[in-house]
Each structure stands twice: as structure tokens, then as C-alpha cells.
Amino acid sequence: MTKLSVNVNKVATLRNARGHNNPDVVKTALDLERFGAQGITVHPRPDGRHIKYKDVYDLKSVISTEFNIEGYPSEDFIKLVLAVTPAQVTLVPDPPGVLTSNAGWVVSKHREFLTKVVGDFKDAGIRVSIFVGTELPNLADAKSIGTDRVELYTEPYASGYRADREAAITPFVAAAKEAKRLGLGLNAGHDLDLNNLRYFHEEIPELDEVSIGHALICDALYLGYEETIKRYLNCLK
């Protein structure tokens, strides 16, 4: 079964709006695990606008499922990940100041840098995934730098789903098959939700993991965490 990792950044955003600890990010993560989430994802950014570095340490000490830290591999981020040693690190090419991740790595343009970072994390016993689009040659480049997995950037699928879901999924199916042919693990994330997740999973059963944050937390405002996790897991059966 494809694992569901919940990104708790938006919980931290709400907490930070008042400067206290409500909602409690750690308690939320523990509740999400209790309700069936198989992983917790965080994406700390330099400005601390949602997840803060302290949150990362606090979560590492208590969660029992897979811990995934994603972010741009700046010097501070690399130090944080090596200190915390999560189960997985996901490298995304979003420099400081961007609102959200909006593209995957073009590996050929960053080969030397990524090879070094991936190697350092793997030497520390951390599984490495890098954020990519669906371009097939880029997947081969990803394999060449030693990454364990790729995470497909799914916003193009999500934005095209309602108009023509078959056309929207086609490049992702091809990318998934190529990733598996290359021996890469396969994750996916960005704008996946209760409307489009089931079809994505049906067409790409090779998925190891999906990481979902914004949509899931929005759904939980209406449904509650327990019911929301139940519905997302049902999409992945």
C-alpha cells in the first residue's frame, strides 16, 4: 500500500499567527499517526514562517512513523538534517523567498552540487528523495547522482485533472514506469487532494509514498483529522 505522509506545515502557520502554541504541532502529528498516517513531513524554511527548526527536533523525539524533512539544501538545512537524521530527506529546488515549491530539479544543471549533498545524506544513513518533473531524461540524471527516490511534482496533474484527467495523468504514468525501470523509489506530492488522489493512485500503483499537506489540513477543518485521514487512506487502497 502506498504510504500517506502528512505535511504539518499549515498547522504551524496557524500556530504562528498568534505566537503561542495553539494548535500544537507535536500533538497534531501524534494524533495524525494515531488516526493512521504512516509518515509526518515538514518543510522548514529560512524565514520560519511555518515549521521552525525547534519543531523539527521536537517531532523527531516523539513520532513513531516515518519522518520526512523536505527543503532546499542550504548550509543550515543540511546541518539540521544531519543532526536530526530523519528516515528520509526530500530535496526541493526552492530558494529562500518563494511561496511554495513550484518546479522540480533540472539535475543536469546542479549535478555536482546534488551529488555531494545526496552522498553526504546517504553516508549518514538517511534515505534521499529529490523533487522532479516528468521529463524522462531528467529521471536518468537523478539516478546517476545516487538518489534513492524521486518525488514527482504533481501540480500539473492537479491543475489539469478536471478538464481531462487522462491527458493530465499520461506524463506521470510514463515517468513512474521509467523511475521504476531505473530502480528508483517513487514518491509524489503537491496539490493532491480527495478529488484527484484516487485516480492518480489507480493509474500509478508503483507509488511508494504521497506527501500531502495543504489540502489535507483544509479538509480537516471541515471533517476533523480522524475522518480526513480515513478518507485519504481510502483513496490509496
Side-chain angles (χ1 to χ4, degrees):
M1 181 176 175
T2 302
K3 290 184 177 180
L4 171 66
S5 185
V6 179
N7 187 318
V8 294
N9 277 21
K10 286 305 187 315
V11 179
T13 301
L14 184 59
R15 175 202 62 189
N16 294 350
R18 291 297 293 268
H20 300 291
N21 194 38
N22 187 26
D24 186 323
V25 173
V26 171
K27 181 182 183 302
T28 298
L30 293 173
D31 287 341
L32 291 167
E33 287 185 321
R34 181 162 57 89
F35 297 142
Q38 296 129 329
I40 299 296
T41 291
V42 293
H43 187 148
R45 286 188 165 89
D47 60 8
R49 65 181 183 264
H50 35 60
I51 287 293
K52 300 180 183 299
Y53 278 23
K54 182 180 183 300
D55 295 322
V56 179
Y57 286 100
D58 290 345
L59 287 165
K60 169 64 175 180
S61 68
V62 297
I63 65 172
S64 58
T65 58
E66 179 184 284
F67 193 28
N68 172 48
I69 304 176
E70 65 179 29
Y72 180 78
S74 65
E75 183 176 348
D76 286 343
F77 179 86
I78 292 170
K79 289 179 179 178
L80 173 71
V81 173
L82 291 176
V84 174
T85 60
Q88 178 175 266
V89 59
T90 301
L91 307 180
V92 296
D94 56 351
V98 300
L99 181 63
T100 186
S101 304
N102 56 16
W105 290 99
V106 179
V107 177
S108 61
K109 293 183 178 180
H110 307 276
R111 182 183 301 277
E112 184 176 354
F113 171 65
L114 287 173
T115 299
K116 174 67 166 59
V117 174
V118 169
D120 288 347
F121 286 144
K122 291 183 68 172
D123 287 346
I126 304 167
R127 185 174 73 233
V128 183
S129 177
I130 69 168
F131 204 54
V132 297
T134 55
E135 300 82 4
L136 301 190
N138 196 47
L139 295 173
D141 288 338
K143 175 67 174 180
S144 73
I145 65 170
T147 191
D148 301 296
R149 293 187 181 184
V150 291
E151 178 173 333
L152 297 178
Y153 168 55
T154 50
E155 192 277 333
Y157 161 74
S159 63
Y161 175 81
R162 290 188 183 277
D164 188 340
R165 68 179 191 175
E166 291 184 8
I169 196 69
T170 296
F172 289 88
V173 171
K177 290 180 178 178
E178 177 67 1
K180 287 300 181 180
R181 186 190 71 80
L182 292 166
L184 291 166
L186 186 65
N187 300 340
H190 203 89
D191 287 353
L192 294 174
D193 60 25
L194 288 175
N195 296 312
N196 59 43
L197 179 59
R198 182 183 300 278
Y199 181 68
F200 191 86
H201 183 252
E202 288 173 348
E203 296 298 306
I204 307 177
E206 302 96 336
L207 279 173
D208 293 301
E209 174 184 300
V210 292
S211 176
I212 303 177
H214 182 82
L216 189 150
I217 300 303
C218 289
D219 290 330
L221 293 175
Y222 297 96
L223 303 170
Y225 286 125
E226 185 171 10
E227 178 64 21
T228 299
I229 293 297
K230 177 182 176 180
R231 293 191 187 191
Y232 274 88
L233 290 175
N234 190 50
C235 290
L236 297 173
K237 287 183 178 178

